[in-house]
Amino acid sequence: MNNKEHIENVIKRSYDILQTVYEQQKENGNVTDKNNIQDSGSRILFPKYRTGKTRFSEQELRFIFVEQLNIEIKEHNWDVFYSVETPTSFRYIFKGGTPKVFKDEEDGKSAQFDLVIHDNKFNRIALIEFKANNASVAHHEKDFLKLKEEGSDTVMTYFLEVVKSSDAATVDSLKEKKTTYSGVFKCWSCSEKKYIIDE
């Protein structure tokens, strides 16, 4: 298997497990069958707010992804490493209108990628951003810009999103935000139990 195939395995399993966890493992839920919990593939819970409402964020997807990445590495002797909150190679300005990138200048500040997969020589082979709940255009733009500018023929880019619920307007909104990004973009809807964006 090549690196792309390994990453696709991790993504698919991560979304499948996220769906199961979302259905079974909420801090304010009633657990009646412990066997189902153990079969979910992760011990992570969706926590609750003080009000009792379940918090839904990209963090659960991110941690499940790392769990599945480690399983893929072990099961297939996939010789890779990963880093989290990894500094970008370029500098950026995200405030005050259109985001900007600075490749050689000292303007801007270093940003971060949520997760980067490295080969066994520690070279970057995949840049990954996680997002939840159809965040604002600005939040999507900055991640798409980083991925677009720092991805290459040898560095794959992935934008992985999850939404609690969705409808046709959600899909339209996400597709409209993606117009500047040509890398892999997947969005899973927990209400639909499937990808609503798989490009």
Side-chain angles (χ1 to χ4, degrees):
M1 257 193 292
N2 61 35
N3 290 325
K4 183 176 181 181
E5 290 169 326
H6 283 298
I7 293 169
E8 290 291 329
N9 280 349
V10 173
I11 292 170
K12 176 162 187 344
R13 287 203 317 252
S14 296
Y15 279 121
D16 288 344
I17 290 169
L18 177 87
Q19 182 68 43
T20 303
V21 167
Y22 179 69
E23 291 171 1
Q24 298 184 134
Q25 294 167 211
K26 296 177 186 167
E27 186 179 10
N28 60 347
N30 294 318
V31 177
T32 56
D33 186 351
K34 296 266 185 189
N35 290 326
N36 283 341
I37 299 268
Q38 292 172 354
D39 292 339
S40 71
S42 178
R43 303 294 288 185
I44 200 165
L45 295 172
F46 277 85
K48 67 179 179 179
Y49 290 108
R50 186 173 45 88
T51 61
K53 184 178 177 184
T54 299
R55 190 205 68 198
F56 190 92
S57 76
E58 72 269 13
Q59 298 306 327
E60 288 75 27
L61 176 58
R62 187 189 309 204
F63 278 86
I64 290 169
F65 185 95
V66 170
E67 290 172 343
Q68 293 308 306
L69 177 60
N70 279 310
I71 289 170
E72 185 79 8
I73 289 167
K74 185 175 180 181
E75 286 183 353
H76 297 280
N77 295 315
W78 185 27
D79 195 9
V80 294
F81 295 81
Y82 63 91
S83 59
V84 296
E85 298 298 325
T86 308
T88 55
S89 298
F90 304 141
R91 298 164 69 88
Y92 297 85
I93 292 178
F94 295 121
K95 293 182 181 177
T98 305
K100 297 176 185 165
V101 61
F102 301 92
K103 296 185 179 178
D104 300 315
E105 303 90 344
E106 290 302 313
D107 292 331
K109 292 183 179 179
S110 181
Q112 296 174 340
F113 291 109
D114 289 337
L115 189 138
V116 174
I117 300 175
H118 305 259
D119 67 16
N120 60 9
K121 295 178 182 171
F122 301 162
N123 299 308
R124 296 177 182 191
I125 60 172
L127 313 173
I128 303 170
E129 289 291 324
F130 299 94
K131 197 66 71 192
N133 297 321
N134 194 11
S136 69
V137 170
H139 281 98
H140 280 78
E141 273 184 353
K142 69 179 185 177
D143 288 343
F144 289 152
L145 178 64
K146 291 183 296 182
L147 293 170
K148 177 183 168 189
E149 293 296 331
E150 304 204 21
S152 68
D153 290 341
T154 58
V155 180
M156 297 172 282
T157 62
Y158 294 86
F159 188 88
L160 306 178
E161 187 155 6
V162 61
V163 293
K164 186 176 180 179
S165 61
S166 62
D167 57 20
T170 310
V171 175
D172 291 344
S173 171
L174 289 167
K175 285 185 174 180
E176 189 174 321
K177 289 171 184 169
K178 184 196 179 280
T179 56
T180 60
Y181 173 63
S182 60
V184 175
F185 181 15
K186 295 180 183 285
C187 182
W188 182 270
S189 170
C190 285
S191 65
E192 297 290 321
K193 301 183 181 183
K194 66 178 184 179
Y195 291 115
I196 55 171
I197 302 283
D198 187 9
E199 301 176 356

